[in-house]
Amino acid sequence: MELLIEKKEFKIENRKVEELIFSISNGYIGIRGSFEEEILNKNSSIEGTYINAFYDYFDIQYAAKYTGYPDLYQRMMPLINIQNLEIYIDDKRILFDPTKASNYSIEYQMQSGQIVRKYRFNLNDEEYIDFYFSKLLSQISYELFLQQISFTTSFKSEKEVKINFPLIFKETSTDKGIPNDPRALLKDQKSFNKIERESSNSFQSIVYKTLKSNQKVVYATKISGLNSFNFSEYEEKTYY
């Protein structure tokens, strides 16, 4: 019996629910089912990568504090969104745009744990790009995330195609909290200290440490076919 969840119609109003359905995890890492290249309407998507039990401490702020109120709380920390990439055609960023997408399909192959997404991005009436995205979290080496991106084009003239792999923490605040929750006052506080960074050929690694719990996480990337990393082109960014 084939265990398969498949969608062949994109509806922007269902995107956040589908991100839950097409999330992947292996008990160690969890990744929401957002699109790798991102979506044009960012309000319709919530991105996130998390490691089980990777947390930090935060001060609880009160308008008035009484005996017995706790001083600290813990929460899981959002990490670099490890599936993110940026696609450029002649220096113009390509985001998933439902008005320009056709032949859309996404499927969750539950026996293998693989997510496969395909669609055609129509640049104009004659030119298009067929995208294929595949991603998988290893069930053996739990820290391993595998990603495959391929595309074919029907360009009528020569164009430059560029793919960036940015380092993006998706939250500007360490805790967005709940509306009217005093913990939500923690705004624009950095989440990590970067303590080490190195690269060689097609490999790069960065070590981050939490501010209070002193937990460390290593973000390492190896890209097949890449000769070297240029850090000047891969600066850390945060999107609002």
Side-chain angles (χ1 to χ4, degrees):
M1 180 177 67
E2 185 178 16
L3 299 175
L4 182 69
I5 299 174
E6 186 176 21
K7 295 280 188 180
K8 290 190 174 182
E9 183 180 7
F10 180 86
K11 292 184 177 181
I12 192 70
E13 62 269 23
N14 297 336
R15 181 82 282 265
K16 291 181 181 178
V17 175
E18 289 183 2
E19 286 181 353
L20 291 173
I21 296 172
F22 292 97
S23 295
I24 54 176
S25 65
N26 59 10
Y28 179 69
I29 297 177
I31 305 174
R32 282 184 60 86
S34 54
F35 290 168
E36 291 88 335
E37 74 280 24
E38 298 188 49
I39 192 168
L40 185 63
N41 182 357
K42 290 183 171 59
N43 292 327
S44 65
S45 177
I46 302 174
E47 303 185 8
T49 300
Y50 298 88
I51 291 180
N52 192 11
F54 186 78
Y55 69 96
D56 204 0
Y57 298 103
F58 298 95
D59 297 323
I60 301 180
Q61 302 181 27
Y62 300 97
K65 184 179 179 182
Y66 299 97
T67 302
Y69 279 25
D71 296 319
L72 300 172
Y73 76 102
Q74 302 171 354
R75 79 178 292 262
M76 292 179 64
M77 297 295 294
L79 305 177
I80 290 173
N81 194 337
I82 58 178
Q83 65 176 346
N84 264 137
L85 55 87
E86 298 174 345
I87 302 172
Y88 293 88
I89 307 295
D90 286 342
D91 292 326
K92 183 178 180 179
R93 176 91 182 268
I94 300 296
L95 301 171
F96 182 88
D97 182 350
T99 65
K100 297 181 179 180
S102 59
N103 302 336
Y104 171 85
S105 70
I106 183 171
E107 61 183 37
Y108 194 165
Q109 302 170 3
M110 300 186 70
Q111 287 181 312
S112 65
Q114 187 176 14
I115 301 286
V116 174
R117 179 169 59 96
K118 296 176 283 188
Y119 72 96
R120 173 169 292 180
F121 187 90
N122 298 289
L123 294 171
N124 50 53
D125 292 339
E126 296 183 337
E127 298 179 302
Y128 61 82
I129 310 171
D130 285 332
F131 285 111
Y132 174 93
F133 300 90
S134 174
K135 56 189 176 184
L136 173 71
L137 278 170
S138 174
Q139 301 296 321
I140 299 174
S141 299
Y142 294 127
E143 71 282 359
L144 183 61
F145 170 68
L146 303 172
Q147 185 179 38
Q148 180 183 357
I149 306 105
S150 61
F151 56 88
T152 57
T153 67
S154 70
F155 296 157
K156 301 300 183 181
S157 59
E158 184 174 315
K159 300 182 188 298
E160 180 185 48
V161 179
K162 182 170 62 176
I163 299 179
N164 290 347
F165 295 85
L167 306 175
I168 300 175
F169 289 92
K170 281 296 175 182
E171 298 192 24
T172 58
S173 304
T174 53
D175 187 19
K176 293 184 181 299
I178 302 170
N180 302 318
D181 188 326
R183 295 178 301 182
L185 296 175
L186 289 167
K187 184 159 180 66
D188 298 327
Q189 176 182 330
K190 70 175 183 177
S191 303
F192 301 96
N193 285 321
K194 183 172 65 179
I195 60 176
E196 186 178 333
R197 188 175 195 172
E198 64 175 278
S199 67
S200 62
N201 298 327
S202 61
F203 173 82
Q204 72 158 349
S205 69
I206 307 172
V207 182
Y208 294 95
K209 185 172 72 171
T210 57
L211 301 181
K212 293 185 177 180
S213 63
N214 291 321
Q215 295 195 59
K216 295 180 182 178
V217 61
V218 179
Y219 171 77
T221 304
K222 183 176 178 62
I223 302 177
S224 176
L226 188 69
N227 294 323
S228 64
F229 277 95
N230 185 343
F231 283 135
S232 65
E233 298 179 4
Y234 294 87
E235 293 299 324
E236 294 176 42
K237 306 185 273 190
T238 306
Y239 286 174
Y240 288 83

